[in-house]
Amino acid sequence: MRQPKLKSSLLLITVLLLSMLATACGGANTNTASNAGAASNNKQAANANSNGNKEETSASKTKVVWWHSMGGELGKAADQLVTDFNASQSTVEVEAVYQGTYDESLNKMKASLDSKSGPSLIQVYEIGSRFMIDSGAITPVQNFIDQESYDVSQLEENIAGYYTFDGKQYSMPFNTSNPILYYNKDLFKTAGLDPEKAPATYEEVKQAADKLAQKGAPASFAIYGWFMEQFFANQGAEYVNNGNGRTAPADASLVNSEAGTKTLDWWKGLIDSKAAINLGRKTDDTKKAFLAGQISMTLDSTASLRGIVDGVGDKFEVGTAFLPKPDGTEDGGVVVGGASLWILNNKPEAEQQAAWEFIKFLAQPDTQAKWHISTGYFPITKKAYDEQIVQDNLAKYPQFQTAIDQLHASKPSQATQGAVMGVFPEARQIVESAIEEALGGSKTTKQALDDASKEISSKIENYNKTVK
């Protein structure tokens, strides 16, 4: 793996990323895996700048400041984990500081690097991984894993795999999700469909949606770049070249490959036949329409599951199913979304070690069990499923089993490990624009994806020039 020249490369990368992230996916798709709850907790954010001082809080405790992007109820759950950790031992004190959306938090981190006023530990969304590595500003968690022979076999392989590059794990997954198909079982019955047999392929979705639309309840999928990435992985297809950017830094987008055109042709066909309606980019809008019974099928994050089931209440029965794929597709699966925890290397060794102690606490089965049932995110630790509270939660919300089964059914490959590129946030925006152009008819699906691929490849090339 190429190592950047920290001073010059970080400056160039920061200039590029600051302009790019200003319009990144954070604000485009609310309540998604990459941004759940980030629109609230403004009071915490306003106080964030006063938390840059990391001196030891006492002679016996080392201070760790953790920047995160969990707002609202998710923020309360994160704060509870910190309270539990601080009460569990007497050598480390963690302070959680909400920093706004993932984009906002990452920009603040970049601005803090020279002054060292930033955090000891930061939560970064999955598509920021390439930047974090290239920045030279982090200590890989693999260092700590090796030092104490930490047992990584306890972690879900399909989750830890995303954050592993060249056999080295760089960060520890924290909040993890993937998309599933949600459908209204009552509407399925009304349309003469089997409510216990969800559509599994593009073709089956089209057939079901045609019947449901005739009953006044079409499908609707938010125009979200994350979904396109998932459709690629579900076909066993790579999103960028060079092994999805994992055998070597990616230098070209593959969004206009057969996996992309096949997906967008299907999506546009749904819209053109009125089997589906276009409600725009925000998953909040499709979610509201689903809760109101106005649409019969939608895609959303597994992290939204509990909120959707609770929001529907007894109005109808919510069905869940795997992400659909083209007929005849054998290999593939989903890519984890969400975020992971990164340790900053401009802090004293003792502070970095203290951050690692907190990370280990968060990965414990009982901690992951509490986090899972409070938020809907996957446990990253296998044994968390043995905890009674998780079993009780599955009994109450059996739809969670779909999400668990889909994760475990995903075949490990570079496609399902997930694409990495330094311009991923902007790439998502470009893909969303291409989907809009195709669905709206201003471009053919092939032209829209060709143009998107060309633009993304150019952005990647410019980024790569900053990392030598």
Side-chain angles (χ1 to χ4, degrees):
M1 181 172 292
R2 299 179 296 176
Q3 294 299 321
K5 297 177 181 178
L6 179 57
K7 295 292 185 181
S8 60
S9 294
L10 184 55
L11 177 61
L12 287 170
I13 295 172
T14 300
V15 171
L16 178 66
L17 268 289
L18 281 172
S19 62
M20 178 177 69
L21 291 173
T23 57
C25 64
N29 299 87
T30 56
N31 265 349
T32 64
S34 295
N35 247 339
S40 58
N41 278 18
N42 291 329
K43 184 176 180 181
Q44 283 186 350
N47 295 329
N49 291 332
S50 65
N51 291 290
N53 189 7
K54 319 288 190 315
E55 298 98 353
E56 291 187 351
T57 57
S58 69
S60 60
K61 287 191 176 183
T62 301
K63 178 77 167 291
V64 169
V65 172
W66 174 36
W67 284 8
H68 69 83
S69 297
M70 299 283 93
E73 293 302 314
L74 297 179
K76 292 179 182 178
D79 287 342
Q80 185 59 54
L81 297 183
V82 171
T83 298
D84 292 346
F85 172 73
N86 287 340
S88 72
Q89 44 72 53
S90 59
T91 59
V92 179
E93 181 179 342
V94 174
E95 179 182 2
V97 186
Y98 175 75
Q99 291 289 357
T101 67
Y102 290 132
D103 294 334
E104 292 168 344
S105 181
L106 192 57
N107 284 337
K108 290 175 184 178
M109 186 209 78
K110 296 168 193 171
S112 75
L113 291 176
D114 286 340
S115 66
K116 297 185 179 181
S117 62
S120 326
L121 185 70
I122 184 170
Q123 178 194 27
V124 178
Y125 54 1
E126 84 281 19
I127 58 174
S129 297
R130 182 76 263 168
F131 169 78
M132 292 300 289
I133 294 170
D134 291 340
S135 73
I138 59 95
T139 298
V141 297
Q142 189 70 49
N143 292 14
F144 301 94
I145 290 170
D146 292 342
Q147 285 172 10
E148 60 184 70
S149 298
Y150 179 78
D151 181 15
V152 295
S153 68
Q154 65 179 303
L155 304 177
E156 290 275 10
E157 291 88 350
N158 286 344
I159 296 177
Y162 187 100
Y163 304 102
T164 300
F165 304 84
D166 295 334
K168 179 185 293 187
Q169 188 173 330
Y170 277 80
S171 60
M172 181 67 83
F174 175 54
N175 54 303
T176 302
S177 60
N178 57 48
I180 56 176
L181 179 73
Y182 293 83
Y183 67 99
N184 183 320
K185 287 189 173 184
D186 291 24
L187 287 175
F188 265 54
K189 292 177 185 177
T190 301
L193 298 167
D194 184 352
E196 304 306 322
K197 189 175 185 298
T201 67
Y202 288 179
E203 292 76 8
E204 290 176 359
V205 168
K206 176 66 165 64
Q207 292 167 6
D210 282 338
K211 293 182 178 180
L212 290 156
Q214 292 173 13
K215 298 294 183 180
S220 186
F221 310 133
I223 298 174
Y224 187 16
W226 187 51
F227 294 156
M228 181 62 84
E229 297 152 28
Q230 298 289 347
F231 284 131
F232 265 70
N234 214 19
Q235 298 174 63
E238 295 172 5
Y239 205 62
V240 292
N241 69 347
N242 295 335
N244 242 357
R246 291 181 177 272
T247 57
D251 56 27
S253 167
L254 302 178
V255 72
N256 62 336
S257 65
E258 181 183 3
T261 55
K262 187 180 292 186
T263 297
L264 196 48
D265 283 343
W266 161 72
W267 199 336
K268 180 171 172 54
L270 290 171
I271 299 296
D272 289 349
S273 68
K274 302 189 185 308
I277 57 174
N278 179 10
L279 294 177
R281 297 192 184 194
K282 293 182 178 180
T283 54
D284 262 359
D285 291 337
T286 49
K287 184 186 302 181
K288 289 174 183 175
F290 183 76
L291 294 179
Q294 296 168 345
I295 60 174
S296 54
M297 289 184 285
T298 193
L299 297 176
D300 213 318
S301 168
T302 52
S304 298
L305 195 154
R306 182 168 176 174
I308 288 175
V309 174
D310 287 346
V312 167
D314 59 3
K315 288 183 291 186
F316 59 86
E317 186 176 359
V318 177
T320 54
F322 285 14
L323 186 74
K325 61 178 67 176
D327 191 32
T329 303
E330 296 296 332
D331 296 327
V334 289
V335 182
V336 297
S340 64
L341 305 178
W342 299 76
I343 297 175
L344 278 297
N345 65 10
N346 63 348
K347 300 296 178 288
E349 288 186 12
E351 191 171 326
Q352 294 184 48
Q353 181 65 43
W356 170 244
E357 295 302 321
F358 178 52
I359 284 176
K360 287 192 295 182
F361 172 83
L362 294 178
Q364 291 176 181
D366 58 338
T367 307
Q368 280 297 302
K370 292 176 185 176
W371 176 246
H372 166 65
I373 65 170
S374 297
T375 66
Y377 286 114
F378 285 116
I380 67 167
T381 308
K382 299 172 187 175
K383 290 185 178 180
Y385 291 109
D386 296 333
E387 296 288 322
Q388 189 61 48
I389 57 174
V390 173
Q391 295 177 16
D392 292 343
N393 191 64
L394 271 173
K396 184 176 181 180
Y397 301 96
Q399 295 92 343
F400 270 118
Q401 193 63 51
T402 300
I404 296 167
D405 291 345
Q406 181 174 244
L407 176 69
H408 292 162
S410 295
K411 296 181 179 180
S413 68
Q414 288 174 334
T416 59
Q417 196 175 8
V420 285
M421 53 178 149
V423 296
F424 217 145
E426 192 171 14
R428 275 191 179 171
Q429 291 289 302
I430 294 169
V431 169
E432 287 167 9
S433 294
I435 296 171
E436 286 176 334
E437 291 168 342
L439 298 187
S442 62
K443 290 182 181 179
T444 65
T445 55
K446 186 68 167 71
Q447 188 62 57
L449 291 177
D450 282 346
D451 291 347
S453 180
K454 182 178 180 180
E455 186 176 0
I456 294 169
S457 296
S458 176
K459 300 291 185 184
I460 295 174
E461 181 182 4
N462 290 337
Y463 174 88
N464 288 346
K465 289 177 181 177
T466 71
V467 186
K468 301 294 182 183

